[in-house]
């Protein structure tokens, strides 16, 4: 893959030309958190963030969007959520998250809502530095060699830029004089040093390869009930997870001259209505059963199908779940250790 | 699993195709029969399905829900469904009159492995609304009678008025080329001439079963499976020749929305037809 160099002072001039082509979205500050937002003022872009509140899936499958509208004459496909976008600042784990969604939405019955949005979206990745919640090294999603158009590794006074696609190459060609095609030995050394240091910075490790067996062997372990008792069934873990894709469907009747529409809304298997069927039968009435499904999907099912977990190690469930049910604490519990989590302490602290 | 019968349409698989209700009438107090025709003739011809597959039916404004095809593919052109009133979509369907427009997309799911079932004996066990998918496979077998061995039907309902397609099944009893036993849990009419008791009480009435050569099918209310499966196993029918259709909540029918996930499979793609072996080695299936 071609790698070029971009001096830091040329970064905004580069954004300036490319953002004339399509909407530019990037991580910006919101309160003490970060979100992906449309940016026109490049100074708003946060170059050194960890994870954003929501992963970039929100731009490809928005939390709620119309799939089609209808009136007496028939239906009209609605693709209004699709627009040309350039997403800058996507970290390797989130690019892996998108590749995971690709497998689902582009497999078998291809989903045009996802595919069309994906085709119009350019991915400009950005290197990052782990905090105590990141464990992308354990999922091997801290490195990336596909799924982006350009990838920027931040080496303080310059970027190394990987050119991952012909559209990425087109972007460079809009302002070719900003980029240096030859890298010096010291540039390369800088990168190698950066990578070694970065790899050492991961503090959380999870042995994912052991998880499929442990999920099977510990399916009935009592800690599931304890986690289930603590779970608020709020669905936040699914909202923030870059590989959670479940959705609900809702029809809205025509109102005030507007046609009726069928919407798609983010959903979570942790919510109680999720598996209810006619006649009031619910296959997963208990929160413990629903958590087991969530973790079967993350730690086991995907591994059997694709040889890797569907968790990309972004750490969002670690920082989001109010009762500390997350991939780290659950895998600790699966390994038979004390996960040192709120939900695990709960039974002894809250005496009935 | 049976990927070849999935019509992978070009374009948008989530857009329903306009169709009209040709006929609708009540089958029981809360179950109605619907006969449906696509507006577009090409669509009608392109809709090739297998018994056991399902379609997503839309009543625009009320929503969309999955329903088994009750008609056999051997009678193309019109699609038939038996639908129980359960909530908003089914409620809206019940309010529609003949000639009303609805939306249909599909067919989805794996369906029964009819290619493998050809040449074998077929034992069909029906409980209540389980008749919906099993009627499709039964009529298919009868339309292609020479392709199958012995065909037997055991059908149980709560009471005579709840026996869906009662007349069809009484007529079947008159046919010489299949065995058909009917039962109701309780006779509240005083004029029921068939058996009284749960559907498993019909098993002793079956003529000799050749287990190695038999495909045993079951569909009915969730409580029924355990008891019927026990009977099939008693008859020594191999576990991978015991087939059942299972119900899960479904929002998309095409493996995207996640609602029908069990373990690592999607009921809408890998089901709704499963073997008893699938059930034994997959958690949560029944
Ligand atoms: C593969 C398959 C085949 C089916 N075939 C038939 C059939 O031939 N005839 C028939 O009458 N019914 C069938 N069903 C069940 C039917 O889909 C539900 O009764 C229907 O979805 C209820 O929708 P509603 O909007 O009327 O109910 P809602 O107002 O949505 O809810 C009423 C009740 O139905 C449950 N429910 C909602 N959506 C579903 C769903 N997609 N699947 C199951 N339960 C649901 C709710 O949890 C609630 O308990 C089938 C279901 C599946 C999955
Ligand atoms: S499971 Fe948690 S850490 Fe893994 S990808 Fe999802 S949110 Fe991130
Ligand atoms: S696991 Fe945590 S985030 Fe997920 S639903 Fe339960 S309480 Fe909410
Ligand atoms: S119904 Fe949506 S995944 Fe099966």
């Amino acid at each position: 893959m071609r790698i070029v160099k971009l001096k830091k002072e040329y970064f905004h001039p580069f954004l300036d030309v490319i953002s004339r082509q399509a909407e530019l979205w990037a991580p910006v500050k919101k309160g003490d958190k970060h979100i992906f937002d449309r940016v026109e003022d490049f100074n708003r872009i946060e170059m050194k963030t960890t994870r954003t509140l929501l992963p970039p899936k929100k731009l490809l499958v928005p939390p709620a969007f119309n799939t089609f509208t209808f009136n007496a004459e028939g239906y009209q496909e609605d693709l209004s959520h699709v627009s040309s976008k350039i997403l800058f600042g996507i970290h390797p784990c989130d690019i892996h998250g998108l590749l995971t969604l690709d497998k689902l939405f582009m497999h078998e019955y291809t989903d045009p809502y996802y595919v069309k949005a994906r085709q119009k979206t350019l991915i400009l990745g950005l290197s990052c530095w782990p905090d105590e919640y990141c464990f992308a090294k354990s999922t091997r999603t801290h490195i990336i060699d596909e799924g982006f158009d350009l990838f920027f590794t931040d080496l303080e006074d310059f970027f190394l830029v990987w050119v991952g696609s012909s559209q990425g190459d087109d972007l460079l060609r809009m302002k070719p004089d900003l980029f240096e095609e030859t890298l010096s030995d010291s540039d390369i050394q800088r990168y190698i040093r950066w990578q070694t240091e970065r790899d050492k910075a991961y503090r959380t490790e999870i042995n994912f390869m052991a998880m499929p067996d442990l999920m099977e062997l510990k399916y009935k372990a009592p800690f599931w009930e304890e986690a289930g008792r603590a779970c608020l069934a709020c669905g936040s873990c699914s909202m923030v997870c870059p590989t959670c894709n479940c959705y609900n469907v809702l029809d809205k009747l025509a109102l005030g001259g507007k046609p009726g529409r069928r919407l798609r809304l983010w959903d979570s298997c942790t919510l109680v209505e999720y598996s209810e069927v006619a006649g009031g039968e619910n296959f997963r009435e208990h929160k413990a059963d629903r958590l087991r499904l969530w973790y079967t999907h993350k730690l086991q099912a995907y591994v059997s199908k694709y040889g890797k977990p569907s968790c990309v190690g972004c750490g969002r469930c670690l920082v989001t779940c109010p009762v500390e049910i997350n991939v780290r604490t659950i895998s600790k519990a699966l390994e038979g250790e004390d996960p040192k989590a709120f939900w695990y302490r709960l039974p002894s602290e809250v005496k009935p | 699993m049976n990927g070849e019968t999935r019509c992978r349409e070009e374009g948008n698989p989530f857009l329903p195709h306009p169709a009209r209700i040709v006929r609708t009438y009540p089958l029981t107090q809360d179950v109605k029969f619907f006969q449906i025709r696509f507006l577009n003739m090409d669509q009608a011809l392109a809709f090739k399905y297998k018994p056991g597959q399902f379609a997503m039916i839309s009543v625009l404004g009320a929503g969309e829900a999955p329903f088994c095809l009750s008609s056999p593919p051997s009678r193309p052109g019109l699609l038939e469904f038996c639908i129980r009133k359960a909530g908003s979509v089914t409620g809206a369907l019940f309010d529609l009159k003949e000639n009303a427009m609805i939306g249909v997309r599909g067919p989805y799911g794996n369906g029964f492995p009819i290619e493998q079932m050809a040449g074998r004996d077929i034992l069909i066990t029906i409980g209540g609304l389980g008749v919906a998918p099993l009627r499709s496979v039964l009529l298919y077998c009868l339309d292609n009678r020479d392709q199958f061995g012995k065909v037997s039907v055991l059908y149980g309902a709560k009471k005579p008025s709840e026996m869906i397609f009662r007349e069809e099944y009484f007529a079947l009893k008159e046919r010489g080329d299949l065995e058909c036993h009917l039962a109701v849990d309780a006779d509240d009419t005083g004029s029921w001439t068939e058996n009284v008791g749960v559907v498993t009480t019909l098993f002793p009435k079956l003529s000799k079963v050749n287990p190695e050569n038999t495909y045993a099918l079951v569909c009915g209310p969730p409580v029924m499976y355990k008891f019927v499966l026990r009977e099939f196993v008693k008859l020594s029918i191999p576990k991978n020749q015991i087939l059942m259709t299972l119900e899960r909540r479904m929002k998309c029918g095409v493996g995207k929305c996640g609602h029908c996930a069990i373990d690592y499979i999607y009921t809408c793609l890998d089901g709704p037809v499963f073997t008893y072996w699938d059930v034994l080695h997959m958690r949560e299936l029944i």
Side-chain angles (χ1 to χ4, degrees), chain A residues 60 77 79 81-83 106 111-121, chain B residues 11-12:
Chain A
L60 295 157
E77 184 184 55
L79 288 166
H81 73 289
V82 176
S83 63
M106 300 186 173
D111 180 358
Y113 301 100
Y114 180 83
V115 173
K116 287 183 184 160
R118 187 80 160 106
Q119 281 164 348
K120 287 211 153 196
T121 304
Chain B
N12 189 334

Short mmCIF file of all heavy atoms in Angstrom, two decimals, chain A residues 60 77 79 81-83 106 111-121, chain B residues 11-12:
data_model
loop_
_atom_site.label_atom_id
_atom_site.label_comp_id
_atom_site.label_asym_id
_atom_site.label_seq_id
_atom_site.Cartn_x
_atom_site.Cartn_y
_atom_site.Cartn_z
N LEU A 60 -24.15 5.75 9.07
CA LEU A 60 -24.49 4.80 8.00
C LEU A 60 -25.86 4.19 8.22
O LEU A 60 -26.62 3.97 7.30
CB LEU A 60 -23.42 3.72 7.91
CG LEU A 60 -22.08 4.32 7.50
CD1 LEU A 60 -20.92 3.47 7.92
CD2 LEU A 60 -22.05 4.57 6.00
N GLU A 77 -39.46 4.61 -2.16
CA GLU A 77 -38.23 4.37 -1.40
C GLU A 77 -37.67 5.70 -0.91
O GLU A 77 -37.66 6.67 -1.66
CB GLU A 77 -37.22 3.68 -2.33
CG GLU A 77 -35.94 3.27 -1.68
CD GLU A 77 -34.97 2.68 -2.70
OE1 GLU A 77 -34.67 3.35 -3.71
OE2 GLU A 77 -34.50 1.54 -2.49
N LEU A 79 -34.36 7.50 0.52
CA LEU A 79 -32.93 7.36 0.80
C LEU A 79 -32.36 8.68 1.30
O LEU A 79 -31.19 9.00 1.07
CB LEU A 79 -32.19 6.90 -0.46
CG LEU A 79 -32.44 5.44 -0.87
CD1 LEU A 79 -31.96 5.18 -2.29
CD2 LEU A 79 -31.77 4.47 0.09
N HIS A 81 -31.39 9.70 4.05
CA HIS A 81 -30.26 9.70 4.99
C HIS A 81 -28.93 9.55 4.26
O HIS A 81 -27.87 9.69 4.85
CB HIS A 81 -30.42 8.60 6.03
CG HIS A 81 -30.18 7.21 5.48
ND1 HIS A 81 -31.05 6.59 4.62
CD2 HIS A 81 -29.14 6.35 5.64
CE1 HIS A 81 -30.57 5.40 4.29
NE2 HIS A 81 -29.42 5.23 4.89
N VAL A 82 -28.99 9.26 2.96
CA VAL A 82 -27.76 9.04 2.19
C VAL A 82 -27.26 10.37 1.64
O VAL A 82 -28.00 11.09 0.98
CB VAL A 82 -28.02 8.06 1.01
CG1 VAL A 82 -26.78 7.90 0.15
CG2 VAL A 82 -28.51 6.72 1.54
N SER A 83 -26.02 10.70 1.94
CA SER A 83 -25.42 11.88 1.31
C SER A 83 -23.91 11.65 1.25
O SER A 83 -23.38 10.81 1.97
CB SER A 83 -25.73 13.14 2.13
OG SER A 83 -25.15 13.03 3.41
N MET A 106 -24.11 -6.49 3.80
CA MET A 106 -23.83 -6.75 2.39
C MET A 106 -23.86 -8.23 2.08
O MET A 106 -23.48 -8.66 1.00
CB MET A 106 -22.47 -6.16 2.02
CG MET A 106 -22.42 -4.66 2.25
SD MET A 106 -20.87 -4.01 1.65
CE MET A 106 -21.14 -2.26 1.83
N ASP A 111 -28.61 -4.92 1.94
CA ASP A 111 -29.46 -3.85 2.43
C ASP A 111 -29.13 -2.53 1.73
O ASP A 111 -28.08 -1.94 1.98
CB ASP A 111 -29.23 -3.70 3.94
CG ASP A 111 -30.09 -2.60 4.54
OD1 ASP A 111 -30.81 -1.93 3.77
OD2 ASP A 111 -30.03 -2.40 5.76
N PRO A 112 -30.00 -2.06 0.85
CA PRO A 112 -29.67 -0.87 0.05
C PRO A 112 -29.48 0.38 0.91
O PRO A 112 -28.72 1.26 0.52
CB PRO A 112 -30.87 -0.70 -0.88
CG PRO A 112 -31.98 -1.45 -0.23
CD PRO A 112 -31.35 -2.57 0.54
N TYR A 113 -30.14 0.44 2.07
CA TYR A 113 -30.01 1.64 2.91
C TYR A 113 -28.59 1.77 3.44
O TYR A 113 -28.02 2.84 3.51
CB TYR A 113 -31.02 1.60 4.07
CG TYR A 113 -32.43 1.51 3.54
CD1 TYR A 113 -33.11 0.30 3.50
CD2 TYR A 113 -33.05 2.65 3.01
CE1 TYR A 113 -34.38 0.22 2.96
CE2 TYR A 113 -34.32 2.57 2.49
CZ TYR A 113 -34.98 1.35 2.46
OH TYR A 113 -36.23 1.28 1.92
N TYR A 114 -28.03 0.64 3.81
CA TYR A 114 -26.66 0.64 4.30
C TYR A 114 -25.68 0.80 3.14
O TYR A 114 -24.79 1.64 3.17
CB TYR A 114 -26.38 -0.67 5.04
CG TYR A 114 -24.98 -0.76 5.59
CD1 TYR A 114 -24.66 -0.17 6.81
CD2 TYR A 114 -23.97 -1.41 4.88
CE1 TYR A 114 -23.37 -0.24 7.31
CE2 TYR A 114 -22.67 -1.48 5.38
CZ TYR A 114 -22.39 -0.89 6.59
OH TYR A 114 -21.11 -0.95 7.08
N VAL A 115 -25.87 -0.02 2.12
CA VAL A 115 -24.90 -0.06 1.02
C VAL A 115 -24.78 1.31 0.35
O VAL A 115 -23.68 1.79 0.10
CB VAL A 115 -25.30 -1.14 -0.02
CG1 VAL A 115 -24.40 -1.07 -1.23
CG2 VAL A 115 -25.22 -2.51 0.62
N LYS A 116 -25.92 1.94 0.10
CA LYS A 116 -25.85 3.24 -0.59
C LYS A 116 -25.18 4.30 0.28
O LYS A 116 -24.42 5.12 -0.22
CB LYS A 116 -27.23 3.67 -1.06
CG LYS A 116 -27.64 2.83 -2.25
CD LYS A 116 -28.96 3.19 -2.86
CE LYS A 116 -29.22 2.16 -3.97
NZ LYS A 116 -30.60 2.05 -4.36
N ALA A 117 -25.45 4.27 1.57
CA ALA A 117 -24.79 5.22 2.47
C ALA A 117 -23.29 4.92 2.53
O ALA A 117 -22.46 5.83 2.51
CB ALA A 117 -25.41 5.15 3.86
N ARG A 118 -22.96 3.65 2.57
CA ARG A 118 -21.55 3.24 2.66
C ARG A 118 -20.79 3.66 1.41
O ARG A 118 -19.66 4.16 1.50
CB ARG A 118 -21.50 1.72 2.83
CG ARG A 118 -20.14 1.15 3.11
CD ARG A 118 -19.75 1.32 4.56
NE ARG A 118 -18.69 0.39 4.94
CZ ARG A 118 -17.43 0.74 5.14
NH1 ARG A 118 -17.06 1.99 4.99
NH2 ARG A 118 -16.54 -0.17 5.50
N GLN A 119 -21.42 3.45 0.24
CA GLN A 119 -20.74 3.81 -1.00
C GLN A 119 -20.46 5.29 -1.10
O GLN A 119 -19.51 5.71 -1.75
CB GLN A 119 -21.60 3.38 -2.20
CG GLN A 119 -21.49 1.90 -2.50
CD GLN A 119 -22.59 1.41 -3.41
OE1 GLN A 119 -23.57 2.11 -3.64
NE2 GLN A 119 -22.43 0.20 -3.91
N LYS A 120 -21.28 6.11 -0.48
CA LYS A 120 -21.10 7.56 -0.58
C LYS A 120 -20.25 8.11 0.56
O LYS A 120 -20.15 9.32 0.72
CB LYS A 120 -22.47 8.23 -0.57
CG LYS A 120 -23.22 8.02 -1.87
CD LYS A 120 -24.10 9.21 -2.11
CE LYS A 120 -24.36 9.42 -3.59
NZ LYS A 120 -24.89 10.75 -3.84
N THR A 121 -19.69 7.22 1.38
CA THR A 121 -18.95 7.68 2.54
C THR A 121 -17.47 7.34 2.39
O THR A 121 -17.12 6.18 2.19
CB THR A 121 -19.49 6.99 3.81
OG1 THR A 121 -20.89 7.27 3.89
CG2 THR A 121 -18.81 7.53 5.05
N GLY B 11 -32.56 -4.83 -6.47
CA GLY B 11 -33.31 -3.74 -5.89
C GLY B 11 -33.49 -3.89 -4.40
O GLY B 11 -32.68 -4.52 -3.75
N ASN B 12 -34.56 -3.34 -3.90
CA ASN B 12 -34.72 -3.17 -2.47
C ASN B 12 -35.57 -4.28 -1.85
O ASN B 12 -36.78 -4.33 -2.06
CB ASN B 12 -35.38 -1.81 -2.23
CG ASN B 12 -35.40 -1.43 -0.77
OD1 ASN B 12 -35.38 -2.31 0.09
ND2 ASN B 12 -35.44 -0.15 -0.50
#
